[in-house]
Amino acid sequence: MSLAKAVVTGSVFRAPEKRFTQNNVPVSSFVLNIGEKEEMLLRVIVKRQALDEVVSEVSQGDRVLVEGRLQITAVKSDNGSERRIFEIDANSIELIGAGVSAGSPAKSASSNNNDMVKFDQDAFSNELISEEEIPF
């Protein structure tokens, strides 16, 4: 279920990993901790090649800003209990923390200028990658 557009900041809890769908489309993901006092984990899914450079520079502990579409997925565990997984299908990612010195601009999805790369909702149809093809 897709809820709405969301903009969140947090620290990278689990480093990014890249996998490929059956159609050889790259899909990267990492886990973001958006909680301040306690862990509140959110999976970030990246399907856009324009964001690959930024995702490859992200490592555990970095602070990032993510803009995208918030989704909630209900899954059943082996014991039959149901839990919800919160995900963001990222449209833009900006590295705002570790690895950026005070005098240098933040690394963003657009390396030529400091503006974040943004995509219209219609620019990338979900028909390219169905939910069943996401490898995690």
Side-chain angles (χ1 to χ4, degrees), residues 2 17 28 32 39 45 49 52 74 101 112-113 119 133 136:
S2 176
E17 57 183 51
S28 299
L32 190 64
E39 286 181 355
I45 298 173
Q49 287 183 321
D52 276 350
S101 64
N112 293 338
N113 58 27
F119 299 95
E133 287 186 321
F136 31 87

Side-chain angles (χ1 to χ4, degrees), residues 23-123:
N23 295 334
N24 207 27
V25 176
V27 178
S28 299
S29 74
F30 59 93
V31 177
L32 190 64
N33 181 9
I34 60 173
E36 291 184 19
K37 295 184 180 177
E38 60 184 58
E39 286 181 355
M40 183 178 283
L41 303 179
L42 179 71
R43 181 184 299 156
V44 178
I45 298 173
V46 181
K47 302 175 192 172
R48 291 154 180 80
Q49 287 183 321
L51 300 178
D52 276 350
E53 182 180 327
V54 174
V55 172
S56 67
E57 295 177 5
V58 171
S59 59
Q60 187 173 359
D62 287 350
R63 301 244 341 129
V64 294
L65 179 134
V66 177
E67 182 270 322
R69 192 179 67 226
L70 182 63
Q71 304 174 135
I72 299 176
T73 306
V75 295
K76 287 196 176 196
S77 62
D78 293 338
N79 64 7
S81 64
E82 189 173 295
R83 66 179 199 151
R84 293 183 180 195
I85 298 175
F86 297 91
E87 302 174 329
I88 287 189
D89 182 7
N91 289 331
S92 65
I93 299 173
E94 185 173 348
L95 185 61
I96 58 174
V100 179
S101 64
S104 67
K107 298 175 191 171
S108 68
S110 171
S111 59
N112 293 338
N113 58 27
N114 292 331
D115 296 331
M116 293 190 311
V117 173
K118 296 190 178 190
F119 299 95
D120 292 334
Q121 189 70 16
D122 297 333

